[in-house]
Amino acid sequence: MRNGLPKGKDQSEPPHLYRQQKNDQELLEKLALSGMEYRYGKSNKEALRRVKHELKVIHELDFCAYFLITWDIIRYSSSQGYYHVGRGSGANSIVAYCLKITDVDPIELNLYFERFLNAQRTSPPDFDIDYSWDQREDVQDYIFKRYGSQHTALLGTMSTFKDRSIIREIGKVMGLPKAEIDGFTDPTRAAINRNNDAFRKITAIYERMANMPNQRSIHAGGVLITEEPITYYTALDRPPKGMATVQWDMYEAEKIGFDKYDILSQRGIGHIKMAVQLVEDNQQRKIDIHQVKGFMKDPAVNANLRIGNTKGCFYIESPAMIQLNRKLECDSYLVLVAASSIIRPGVASSGMMGEYIKRHHNPNDVKYLHPVMEEQLKETYGVMVYQEDVIKICIHYAGMDGTDADILRRGMSGKWRSDHEMNRIKDSFFNGSLKLERPKEISAEVWRQVSSFAGYSFSKAHSASFAVESYQSLYLKTYFPREFMVAVLNNYGGFYDRALYVQELQRSGGVVHLPCVNNSDSLVNIHGVDVHLGFVGIHGLNETYIEMIPEERRQNGPYQNLEDFVKRTGIGLEQAITLIRVGALRFTGKSKKELLWAIHLLLGAKAKPSSSAELFCVEAKNYSLPVLINTSLENAYHELELLGFPLSMTMFDLLQTDYRGEVGANDLINHVGQLVRMVGQYVCEKTVITKNNQKMWFGNFLDVEGNGFDTVHFPNNTPLYPFRGAGCYLILGKVVAEFGFASLEVLKFAKLPILPNPVIS
């Protein structure tokens, strides 16, 4: 049986790790109790009670094999030295914690198992297991080999036509230019679009296309493992990835009763994995990155969290998250768990983010909406922060049953969401509140907070998992900042452009060098404090040479001169010019212009064989070149073109003006209410649509010292003073502060001109 239903055509038999349910049950109990001793010691009665309770539920619902197969996957990946993060609602399970599937302690965070698995649950649970982006495929390969190709397949998925995709596809068929199609999806142009003939034609067939299948694809990481051959249930595809894929999605899998294993990947784990290895190689120090509880209590780590020194760190590096943590003065794991959830749009849009920060700083002044709110949400000062909070309030305030609470949870996470369903739950909430004689006005406010979560809330276990990884990243950045930033650069996928991470590397004491054929590798490398940028970051350099140049050097020693380099690599003229212009051949002691002259003589179309002089017995002549001046400004322009940022000069050095503003970022808090002028280097921007359908922007900049500051651009000013891409800006604005965090409300805003390229001018 599974979920109380007899096995039949619509119910799959769960795979048993050792083919018999009894054996699976005994093994799971043995592993869980052994893991409990590892996690909690021998005498933790609460842990023992919870482990035994969970094991009973897992056995009754026939999910022993699901836990064991997940444990088996973790056991394999750990044996290969792979690092993983178990996240999602599975972190509510103490059995999962004891099996090392997750690193989140459910007792410490007061997480309840029923959020993950309970007798009323109508679908199989699923663990989300994240690996480094370059290790996931090997884990998937293990699963297919371990459980057999007849019993294993990737989940499919089906994208449908929705909203913007409908407009775009119809617009393409009509032959409309991209700019016009983009205008049709811009909410600020809604009134103008209504009078557009082309837009009216699109809307005429919009409803017919809505939710129709668009294209089949592969689920982000879902793997199915079945007892019977999987072809009993579906035909299989073998897409370019090469692994068998079923022809339906996760919802159909749930209806049949299949257990899904989410084997996912992310760049954040790649940062951590590589940083640990770099520290071992560069400093001969081994780090046990799983000792997270120690990281959480480290004063230096928490100090960096509080001041927002978190660039490069998983989930806590964005300007919004840095700003939130600074407002909260976040310096503990539990506060970070809450911050990871209140940053989500659901809490922010309800207005409860600001309320949470205020209550966090003044907990004794909190006035709860109702005694139930205090009883259930005292930890979060009466604010609904997590999915679990919403469920608790619906049950305890409105008397809703567990089934409706589970439907509400799935609605909030984007699964099975429909207006009809939400309306039915709303009626259930208000009817239940009425029966319990709750005040109508309070019920209305409680429901407003509940409904604002729809589609955006986080489970507490999910936030806790993210916070664990954030602490691991931040520990590495705090104590090994150079190795950590090199790892961030080499794994890409961060929030910011590479230029900012290079600046962070320099601020941490790293001496960053341009690529060099005798010192660089394909990726960025570090030796002591010296960091050489890699060939992979050079725009226009062929992949063949990215790998071959350092490999040839390792095999046969350093390159001796330009001729030796050309001979050993067989490089062509164009690629050689790219390396010369980026400074990668400076080991020769010659200037770029001398090298460019020489490479054209060696490889140019009119170059003659060196043996011609011998053929005619003509004595070779030595020509002396005129002095060829190479300026730092020329070099900076070469770097801008080939690396995307200048290394030998800063963007401030390139400005035509020496003016650097009246105040610096760290001094803003002392000028609240004043108009100030600042000069800032553009980092990033974020566009939002206001309730009045107008656009406004949030910007992030660095001052000349490399310290960050934030700007707000309201709709009345942004059309007059738009962002114009990378560079430095002169900014006039009013300094405002909220919870001790200062930012700039922009009044005027202009990009500053830089010195002209001397070659072009």
Side-chain angles (χ1 to χ4, degrees):
M1 296 184 63
R2 174 65 66 86
N3 301 329
L5 297 174
K7 179 176 178 280
K9 289 184 178 179
D10 294 326
Q11 196 77 19
S12 78
E13 177 68 24
H16 298 123
L17 188 65
Y18 292 102
R19 296 296 177 189
Q20 292 187 12
Q21 187 179 19
K22 185 174 184 298
N23 292 348
D24 282 357
Q25 181 186 356
E26 291 173 354
L27 177 60
L28 181 61
E29 182 175 350
K30 179 181 177 181
L31 292 170
L33 292 174
S34 174
M36 184 195 73
E37 186 174 325
Y38 168 78
R39 292 290 198 183
Y40 296 103
K42 296 182 178 180
S43 56
N44 193 312
K45 293 181 180 179
E46 173 61 15
L48 181 61
R49 183 193 68 78
R50 291 183 65 156
V51 166
K52 287 186 172 180
H53 166 68
E54 286 192 17
L55 287 171
K56 181 175 181 294
V57 175
I58 292 166
H59 169 60
E60 289 174 350
L61 296 179
D62 202 4
F63 285 119
C64 291
Y66 181 76
F67 277 76
L68 285 174
I69 291 173
T70 307
W71 163 80
D72 179 54
I73 294 168
I74 299 301
R75 178 180 61 171
Y76 167 76
S77 61
S78 298
S79 74
Q80 300 300 304
Y82 299 164
Y83 171 55
H84 78 277
V85 169
R87 59 177 175 82
S89 60
N92 288 67
S93 167
I94 194 171
V95 170
Y97 181 56
C98 293
L99 296 179
K100 299 183 181 179
I101 295 171
T102 77
D103 280 323
V104 175
D105 184 347
I107 294 179
E108 179 185 18
L109 291 177
N110 193 28
L111 302 175
Y112 60 101
F113 178 61
E114 288 71 20
R115 166 65 180 81
F116 178 59
L117 195 60
N118 59 75
Q120 286 76 40
R121 180 159 180 145
T122 59
S123 62
D126 63 277
F127 289 111
D128 294 332
I129 310 296
D130 285 337
Y131 289 96
S132 175
W133 60 275
D134 57 349
Q135 294 173 341
R136 179 177 71 158
E137 284 199 15
D138 182 63
V139 176
Q140 289 176 326
D141 183 62
Y142 168 77
I143 296 170
F144 273 75
K145 289 176 178 174
R146 171 72 171 82
Y147 298 99
S149 58
Q150 289 188 324
H151 301 270
T152 315
L154 299 178
L155 260 177
T157 188
M158 180 70 74
S159 66
T160 57
F161 286 107
K162 290 182 179 179
D163 303 329
R164 294 185 179 183
S165 65
I166 300 176
I167 295 173
R168 287 196 182 100
E169 291 304 315
I170 300 175
K172 289 177 186 176
V173 171
M174 294 172 64
L176 300 177
K178 183 179 182 299
E180 187 172 358
I181 295 173
D182 290 343
F184 290 157
T185 61
D186 185 345
T188 65
R189 294 178 55 84
I192 299 171
N193 289 335
R194 280 196 293 269
N195 298 319
N196 185 292
D197 290 337
F199 185 74
R200 283 201 294 265
K201 288 180 182 178
I202 291 173
T203 54
I205 56 175
Y206 182 95
E207 294 296 331
R208 295 184 183 182
M209 286 187 65
N211 296 317
M212 286 182 65
N214 184 357
Q215 60 184 7
R216 288 192 56 246
S217 186
I218 304 174
H219 186 276
V223 180
L224 300 180
I225 304 173
T226 63
E227 186 79 1
E228 305 93 344
I230 204 162
T231 48
Y232 284 16
Y233 299 92
T234 177
L236 300 174
D237 291 338
R238 194 174 292 276
K241 191 167 185 178
M243 294 179 177
T245 305
V246 299
Q247 295 188 341
W248 24 257
D249 59 20
M250 58 183 287
Y251 302 108
E252 296 303 317
E254 287 181 359
K255 289 178 184 177
I256 299 172
F258 283 129
D259 302 333
K260 174 167 66 75
Y261 303 82
D262 278 335
I263 309 300
L264 305 164
S265 69
Q266 51 155 285
R267 297 277 173 173
I269 295 177
H271 300 166
I272 294 170
K273 178 202 72 170
M274 182 175 283
V276 169
Q277 186 61 54
L278 287 172
V279 171
E280 185 174 345
D281 294 342
N282 195 42
Q283 298 196 35
Q284 292 73 54
R285 292 186 59 177
K286 288 194 173 184
I287 302 166
D288 184 355
I289 202 64
H290 293 284
Q291 297 299 316
V292 187
K293 288 192 174 181
F295 306 162
M296 294 171 180
K297 297 174 184 176
D298 189 300
V301 173
N302 283 318
N304 274 335
L305 180 62
R306 184 174 59 252
I307 65 174
N309 182 22
T310 55
K311 288 187 175 73
C313 298
F314 175 76
Y315 204 72
I316 54 174
E317 67 165 331
S318 71
M321 198 67 189
I322 289 173
Q323 185 180 133
L324 173 60
N325 283 332
R326 288 181 61 181
K327 288 179 180 179
L328 284 168
E329 297 178 2
C330 178
D331 61 357
S332 73
Y333 173 60
L334 292 178
V335 177
L336 182 58
V337 172
S340 298
S341 189
I342 65 174
I343 194 71
R344 303 284 289 179
V347 186
S349 64
S350 69
M352 297 310 292
M353 179 195 285
E355 189 62 28
Y356 179 89
I357 299 171
K358 185 174 83 173
R359 296 181 185 192
H360 174 71
H361 289 301
N362 303 282
N364 296 327
D365 297 337
V366 174
K367 294 181 180 179
Y368 293 91
L369 269 175
H370 190 272
V372 170
M373 302 291 278
E374 182 174 12
E375 177 187 318
Q376 297 297 324
L377 303 179
K378 195 170 183 67
E379 179 189 330
T380 55
Y381 319 113
V383 177
M384 285 179 276
V385 171
Y386 312 109
Q387 284 183 1
E388 291 88 342
D389 294 340
V390 179
I391 293 169
K392 284 191 289 186
I393 292 305
C394 286
I395 291 172
H396 295 283
Y397 181 87
M400 293 170 63
D401 61 28
T403 302
D404 273 355
D406 189 58
I407 292 172
L408 178 62
R409 177 191 66 79
R410 295 180 71 78
M412 289 187 296
S413 62
K415 299 175 182 176
W416 299 354
R417 193 189 312 154
S418 70
D419 291 340
H420 173 76
E421 211 165 49
M422 291 301 289
N423 287 335
R424 186 185 66 76
I425 291 172
K426 180 179 180 180
D427 291 341
S428 175
F429 175 90
F430 280 105
N431 290 336
S433 301
L434 195 60
K435 286 180 183 178
L436 293 173
E437 299 182 345
R438 310 298 193 198
K440 288 184 178 179
E441 63 278 8
I442 292 178
S443 296
E445 173 58 20
V446 172
W447 176 255
R448 184 190 72 80
Q449 294 179 24
V450 167
S451 61
S452 71
F453 273 64
Y456 294 108
S457 61
F458 250 11
S459 76
K460 188 176 184 180
H462 210 82
S463 294
S465 302
F466 274 23
V468 165
E469 191 174 340
S470 297
Y471 261 98
Q472 290 166 323
S473 294
L474 189 53
Y475 170 80
L476 290 166
K477 175 160 187 179
T478 301
Y479 288 103
F480 310 99
R482 293 184 288 275
E483 289 84 358
F484 177 73
M485 293 313 303
V486 169
V488 171
L489 281 164
N490 283 339
N491 280 272
Y492 292 82
F495 187 89
Y496 303 99
D497 288 338
R498 289 177 68 78
L500 184 125
Y501 295 128
V502 170
Q503 287 178 269
E504 283 288 296
L505 187 50
Q506 291 171 320
R507 281 164 63 88
S508 69
V511 181
V512 183
H513 301 277
L514 291 165
C516 172
V517 297
N518 270 343
N519 291 287
S520 293
D521 297 313
S522 57
L523 298 176
V524 182
N525 65 36
I526 179 169
H527 300 285
V529 298
D530 287 303
V531 177
H532 278 87
L533 298 180
F535 296 119
V536 76
I538 302 174
H539 302 164
L541 185 62
N542 190 288
E543 189 172 339
T544 300
Y545 297 109
I546 289 173
E547 300 294 338
M548 187 257 280
I549 291 171
E551 182 58 30
E552 165 63 25
R553 185 184 72 233
R554 282 189 287 269
Q555 294 288 333
N556 298 302
Y559 300 105
Q560 300 302 308
N561 48 50
L562 177 63
E563 291 78 5
D564 181 50
F565 173 73
V566 170
K567 180 180 178 181
R568 287 166 58 183
T569 60
I571 197 166
L573 179 62
E574 184 178 329
Q575 294 287 286
I577 289 172
T578 296
L579 288 171
I580 290 169
R581 293 179 70 230
V582 84
L585 288 160
R586 60 190 180 278
F587 80 94
T588 61
K590 297 180 179 181
S591 71
K592 289 183 181 180
K593 290 180 179 176
E594 288 175 311
L595 287 168
L596 288 170
W597 188 286
I599 199 68
H600 277 90
L601 288 174
L602 275 173
L603 300 176
K606 296 181 180 180
K608 296 179 180 179
S610 59
S611 60
S612 61
E614 298 176 8
L615 180 64
F616 295 101
C617 299
V618 177
E619 183 180 349
K621 294 182 180 180
N622 291 320
Y623 294 95
S624 59
L625 291 170
V627 177
L628 301 173
I629 299 172
N630 224 88
T631 69
S632 57
L633 185 58
E634 282 181 79
N635 290 336
Y637 268 98
H638 289 158
E639 293 155 20
L640 267 172
E641 177 189 343
L642 297 171
L643 297 176
F645 56 90
L647 185 66
S648 56
M649 298 176 70
T650 70
M651 290 304 298
F652 288 94
D653 294 333
L654 287 173
L655 292 178
Q656 292 183 14
T657 175
D658 293 330
Y659 184 69
R660 298 294 181 262
E662 298 169 343
V663 299
N666 292 344
D667 193 38
L668 268 181
I669 194 66
N670 299 317
H671 296 271
V672 174
Q674 300 177 20
L675 285 179
V676 299
R677 287 180 176 82
M678 299 185 72
V679 174
Q681 179 185 341
Y682 172 89
V683 175
C684 61
E685 66 189 83
K686 180 182 178 181
T687 308
V688 297
I689 304 298
T690 69
K691 292 179 180 179
N692 298 325
N693 244 356
Q694 293 181 302
K695 285 184 181 179
M696 65 179 293
W697 279 262
F698 295 95
N700 183 255
F701 295 84
L702 298 176
D703 67 11
V704 69
E705 301 296 327
N707 300 311
F709 63 96
D710 293 313
T711 58
V712 182
H713 305 247
F714 288 110
N716 56 323
N717 287 325
T718 43
L720 298 174
Y721 305 103
F723 284 90
R724 298 191 183 278
C728 293
Y729 289 75
L730 177 61
I731 309 167
L732 173 67
K734 180 182 177 182
V735 182
V736 296
E738 186 178 33
F739 303 109
F741 179 83
S743 58
L744 207 60
E745 289 184 355
V746 174
L747 300 176
K748 292 183 179 181
F749 182 63
K751 188 174 179 180
L752 292 170
I754 63 175
L755 296 168
N757 187 336
V759 175
I760 297 174
S761 59

